[in-house]
């Protein structure tokens, strides 16, 4: 009760878009929602207070990894994917980021009355295709319809279950000084592709979403070396992800700007749209902290996978200035990469 | 592909409210969505094709029970509860109906821009209270905001994880001739309370939703005797639930009308509203198939629990006329209780 009253004092009266945008503003809502684990069933597991990519439940020699997302992307069909692909990829990747092997998915689909059944069929077909690629089974779910006008087309929530051996869960707080930071692919593709599509921006080369299930990429990385932390840069992009990792691990992350993969189309469109690509949602990328000695081996293993071809070592972890993310720019200067206020693009995921 | 084309021929072009209403019309959409389990991780588990209350994943000597629902009830605060209470109860109960002990919950909350934060606080507080009562921990989740006008207030999806020992999963298909049918409380309270509240109908006695977490009730039942099948009568009410049980178990269910608990307020309001209370959503009731010899012991155990005081043996299972639900009326006649076309009240859950 006291906590709730304290929250009330700091909080505005109404929800704004930024409250769901993954940046610093979202924190106040998350604090309102996050509850600590108190039940004995899960007392040695991971709960909401960790604010990691998911939770976990200990069972004998295993941890059941549990993670979920709501998906409200708009438009629901976009270059390179649709809301169904996003839903499966997002949840599969969150389970992977905890060190779990994804095994099963549950989904709830809520549609507006009048929604075209052919669209639903295409979305469901895509969900099944991606689930197959990710080697997970969709085993449970729910379907609801709300009256016309009470929802914009469709919302999908997905939850995933993964299995990890006890002690193999990977947390955001695991980075150690000396670790290298690997990014599995170029940044900003998903958010910028959607924003450009909405704005009718035409590229000479096609820019499509990066949405992808990272099962093979992450499993290759885990086999190749010691991974200390993992996180996928979704809402709030690379900037948000690295800031979270640095804060939770109480270390600093030093980035080399010229090593960060970014497509020309993303760079150009970001400038046109006035958006910082560092703060834009990716849906098929991961940031890994890797033990220094293993970094090149892990990088090589990732690059051999379908969704890891453009992977790069983009920086390293230091002890000094804990919680900070610092970018060494192309011209040799340094600037702090701040925790973004929020994802700059609404309904991007 | 072939299947999908066949579906297309039978399906209308657009989704109607009835497609989400839990009755016979919903089947065509469910067939579109339901995929069979193909992944080896879960091949001995329960999948979508079973259309049970959830799925399951085998792990060593256990089954991980997995179940989820989307919640779109309107109004979001109603007599006896709110959307947060509904969300936790619904998922806890679905896990219980599979024979699982609920341990953890994940939730996604999507709100419309401008939603009052005090309402969100109250909903979240309720979710935590009910989770505590049900002895589950909310360990993971997601929070998203969509622009104003693109959602009517709030949608919550919840997924639950439960644990069962291998071989203890309880399926809808388990009814055997001779079994008694126990109903844990009165029917129609939730749906009629919401509908009456919307229509401004005033009762002399207060009618409130039955929404409740049935952990103690079901655990008491499981301890007291052999339970052959369980299902909670949500969308489509008792009529839908009993028809599903009869069909999946390939038996008939014979009901005694005068044994079915129903409140006077529900009876009166149903008549006023022209709704069959047999077809109305409950959110805190369960139907159990119980071995004949154990039925009185199970009934007594259920009646000792907070949410089982009005439990009754309402019928029995026979071999003849498989798939049928037959009601022996108060005046001694018989009528077939049909699978309803759909839940008669929109946005009731």
């Amino acid at each position: 009760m006291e906590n709730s009253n304290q929250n009330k004092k700091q909080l505005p009266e109404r929800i704004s878009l930024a409250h769901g945008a993954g940046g610093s503003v979202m924190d106040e809502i998350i604090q309102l929602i996050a509850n600590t684990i108190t039940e004995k069933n899960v007392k040695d597991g991971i709960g909401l207070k960790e604010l990691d990519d998911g939770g976990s439940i200990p069972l004998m020699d295993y941890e059941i990894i549990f993670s979920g997302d709501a998906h409200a992307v708009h438009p629901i069909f976009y270059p390179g994917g649709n809301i169904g692909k996003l839903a499966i990829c997002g949840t599969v990747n969150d389970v992977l980021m905890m060190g779990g092997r994804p095994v099963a998915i549950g989904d709830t689909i809520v549609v507006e009355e009048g929604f075209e059944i052919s669209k639903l069929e295409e979305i469901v077909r895509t969900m099944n295709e991606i689930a197959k690629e990710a080697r997970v089974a969709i085993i449970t779910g729910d379907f609801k319809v709300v009256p016309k006008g009470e929802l914009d087309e469709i919302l999908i929530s997905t939850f995933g279950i993964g299995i990890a051996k006890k002690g193999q869960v990977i947390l955001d707080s695991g980075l150690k000084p000396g670790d290298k930071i690997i990014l599995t692919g170029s940044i900003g593709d998903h958010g910028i592709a959607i924003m450009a599509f909405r704005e009718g921006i035409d590229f000479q080369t096609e820019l499509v979403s990066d949405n992808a299930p990272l099962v093979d990429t992450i499993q290759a990385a885990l086999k190749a070396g010691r991974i200390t932390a993992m996180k996928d840069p979704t809402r709030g992009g690379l900037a948000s992800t690295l800031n979270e990792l640095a804060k939770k691990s109480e270390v600093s992350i030093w980035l080399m700007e010229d090593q960060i993969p970014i497509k020309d189309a993303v760079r150009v469109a970001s400038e046109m749209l006035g958006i910082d690509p560092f703060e834009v949602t990716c849906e098929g990328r991961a940031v890994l902290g890797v033990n220094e000695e293993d970094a090149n081996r892990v990088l090589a293993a990732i690059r051999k996978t379908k969704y890891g071809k453009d992977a790069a070592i983009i920086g390293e972890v230091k002890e000094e200035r804990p919680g900070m993310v610092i970018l060494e720019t192309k011209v040799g200067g340094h600037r702090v990469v701040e925790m973004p206020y929020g994802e700059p693009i609404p309904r991007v995921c």
Side-chain angles (χ1 to χ4, degrees), chain A:
Chain A
M1 261 326 232
E2 261 177 54
N3 262 329
S4 146
N5 284 334
Q6 276 167 22
N7 278 334
K8 212 172 259 176
K9 270 175 224 155
Q10 301 155 8
L11 287 171
E13 209 173 295
R14 289 178 184 275
I15 295 281
S16 68
L17 279 174
H19 280 126
S24 57
V25 190
M26 191 165 170
D27 275 359
E28 54 190 31
I29 293 294
I30 294 297
Q31 295 308 329
L32 185 157
I33 293 172
N35 192 20
T36 53
I37 288 187
T38 50
E39 291 310 317
K40 68 178 179 355
N41 303 314
V42 291
K43 82 171 162 34
D44 298 317
I46 314 295
L48 275 176
K49 72 178 157 115
E50 319 266 349
L51 298 178
D52 215 296
D53 304 284
S56 87
I57 304 155
L59 181 68
M60 310 293 286
D61 301 330
Y62 294 89
E63 301 261 351
I64 302 169
I65 307 294
F66 189 29
S67 185
D69 290 299
H71 308 276
V73 65
H74 193 79
I76 58 174
F77 294 88
Y78 50 79
N82 64 47
I83 189 170
K85 182 170 184 179
L86 189 75
I88 303 295
C89 293
T91 290
V92 161
N93 292 346
D94 277 345
V95 169
L96 287 167
M97 294 304 112
M98 300 281 292
R101 181 172 57 84
V103 295
I105 296 268
D107 64 321
T108 65
I109 302 178
V110 184
V111 299
E112 177 186 31
E113 181 187 8
F115 188 72
E116 284 169 49
I117 289 185
S118 61
K119 285 186 184 171
L120 183 63
E121 282 185 299
E122 190 171 340
I123 289 165
V124 168
R125 190 162 51 236
T126 306
M127 292 174 80
N128 285 327
E129 275 170 18
I130 302 296
K132 200 169 176 190
E133 181 184 347
R135 299 187 296 281
V136 296
I138 302 172
I139 67 167
T140 189
D142 190 17
F143 179 78
K144 284 217 161 72
V145 183
V146 297
K148 195 155 183 62
E150 298 181 9
L151 175 66
D152 183 17
E153 296 193 290
I154 186 168
L155 272 181
I156 299 179
S157 283
T158 33
F159 274 83
I161 288 183
I163 306 293
K165 288 213 178 112
K166 191 147 275 178
Q168 292 188 348
V169 173
I170 295 174
L171 296 181
D172 294 347
S173 54
L175 285 183
K176 295 278 174 290
D179 286 352
K180 297 293 183 188
I181 300 291
I182 293 179
L183 174 63
T184 63
S186 59
I187 58 168
D189 298 24
H190 176 75
I192 297 297
I194 285 186
M195 192 65 181
F197 182 64
R198 280 190 211 153
E199 301 289 319
I201 297 174
D202 210 12
F203 298 105
Q204 297 222 292
T205 55
E206 201 190 2
L207 179 65
V208 300
S209 165
D210 50 62
N211 53 184
L214 297 176
V215 178
D216 291 341
T217 302
I218 298 305
Q219 287 185 344
L222 289 167
K223 257 183 220 157
R226 287 161 285 178
I227 312 300
T228 55
M230 277 196 279
K231 202 165 189 68
D232 54 338
T234 54
R235 270 178 293 182
L238 186 67
S240 175
T241 293
L242 293 174
N243 269 284
E244 276 195 58
L245 289 171
K247 272 189 194 68
K248 290 183 191 167
S249 299
E250 297 175 8
V251 294
S252 58
I253 296 173
W254 297 70
L255 301 172
M256 300 164 292
E257 188 175 24
D258 58 359
Q259 296 304 307
I260 298 173
I262 176 164
K263 295 198 169 91
D264 285 339
V266 169
R267 202 185 304 275
V268 171
S270 296
E271 273 172 30
M272 287 172 66
L273 297 162
I275 289 170
D276 180 353
F278 273 57
E279 300 185 357
V280 169
T281 294
C282 309
E283 288 290 347
R285 308 299 185 212
V287 171
L288 291 81
V290 187
N291 184 287
E292 193 177 2
E293 293 167 16
D294 301 347
N296 286 320
R297 207 162 54 239
V298 170
L299 180 66
I302 288 174
R303 281 188 172 163
K304 278 188 198 132
T305 65
K306 182 174 174 188
Y307 301 117
K309 293 192 195 330
D310 299 327
I313 294 174
I314 63 166
E316 62 181 337
V317 177
K318 294 186 182 176
E319 196 171 354
E320 65 201 75
R321 302 174 73 180
M324 304 285 278
V325 179
I326 295 143
L327 182 77
E328 188 174 324
T329 62
K330 284 174 187 167
V331 294
H334 287 89
R335 76 168 174 89
V336 172
V337 178
E338 303 275 3
M339 183 68 162
Y341 176 80
E343 162 67 42
I345 307 171
R347 290 194 69 180
V348 79
C349 58

